[in-house]
Amino acid sequence: MAVSGGVRRASRWQDAVRLLLLIDTSAQPVPEHLAAPAQAVGVVRTQVRLQKLDFWVRYPDYLAFELMNEYEAAPEETGLLDLAEEILSSEEPDLRRFPMLRHRFGAFEELDEALSPLVEKGLVSKDQVLGENRVAEHLYYLLARGREVASGLAQDAPALQWYITRTKLLVAMVDGLGGTQLKNRQYLLKDYADTTIGEHIAPITGQARDRLSRLRAAASTNSKGNS
């Protein structure tokens, strides 16, 4: 980890491992119409989707906020509130946060440098679908060797278990949603949407903890009223 201009930055190795685990967890079966590499075992379609998933891994407080949104939509799923509390009652929002810049379409960071070691080692392959005047879609293929390495990381490096747990939680939470849907969902939070283009998106840890306290209090009141 490095600090540049007061902003914590992940090392190239940390970025590569995080993206490998994220691609491994979120990759979908490869459709027959795609000209995928022979060793491809899954694909993440669109750069937008990968960027938005990466944002929630890099900002645990925003992930906790989303879990509370899910809870409010389905109050019977009390485990969602427990997961949010697990994140917010720890040092995770500070220790695991690696800031991203706000660009025209939300949180964004160039992926090429972080992905290059994965491509060089035959773990991931990148491709593009070309439109009439621009790239229509970025494709990130998980190769068989990449899945093998990702599966072994938890055993070889137990310290990475946090990333594995969080990526699984995140992908389960947004199952079935495309990149544009994820982008629109993140824009619903004013702090995110109001960040000046070119500036780092600020944490919302205090706001998220306050909301958790209110939800816990409301849940307790409802429980007493129903008893």
Side-chain angles (χ1 to χ4, degrees), residues 208-221:
R209 286 173 175 158
D210 289 344
R211 184 186 184 193
L212 176 64
S213 295
R214 292 194 300 271
L215 289 175
R216 281 295 192 198
S220 178
T221 300

Side-chain angles (χ1 to χ4, degrees), residues 114-126:
L115 289 171
S116 61
L118 305 179
V119 174
E120 291 167 5
K121 294 181 182 299
L123 310 182
V124 169
S125 178
K126 300 185 299 178

Side-chain angles (χ1 to χ4, degrees), residues 89-133:
S89 63
S90 70
E91 295 182 321
E92 185 176 321
D94 294 321
L95 294 179
R96 303 293 187 179
R97 182 174 67 251
F98 290 102
M100 293 181 75
L101 293 171
R102 158 84 198 283
H103 283 247
R104 193 160 60 114
F105 299 111
F108 179 85
E109 186 169 280
E110 292 291 348
L111 297 174
D112 288 348
E113 184 175 353
L115 289 171
S116 61
L118 305 179
V119 174
E120 291 167 5
K121 294 181 182 299
L123 310 182
V124 169
S125 178
K126 300 185 299 178
D127 200 1
Q128 299 174 343
V129 175
L130 299 178
E132 185 175 343
N133 299 310

Side-chain angles (χ1 to χ4, degrees), residues 148-166:
E148 180 183 340
V149 169
S151 298
L153 281 173
Q155 298 176 354
D156 299 337
L160 296 176
Q161 186 59 51
W162 178 87
Y163 285 102
I164 295 168
T165 300
R166 285 293 169 261

Side-chain angles (χ1 to χ4, degrees), residues 3-19:
V3 178
S4 176
V7 176
R8 297 172 69 250
R9 299 189 183 281
S11 68
R12 190 183 187 206
W13 179 85
Q14 286 174 310
D15 282 336
V17 168
R18 186 184 68 252
L19 287 176

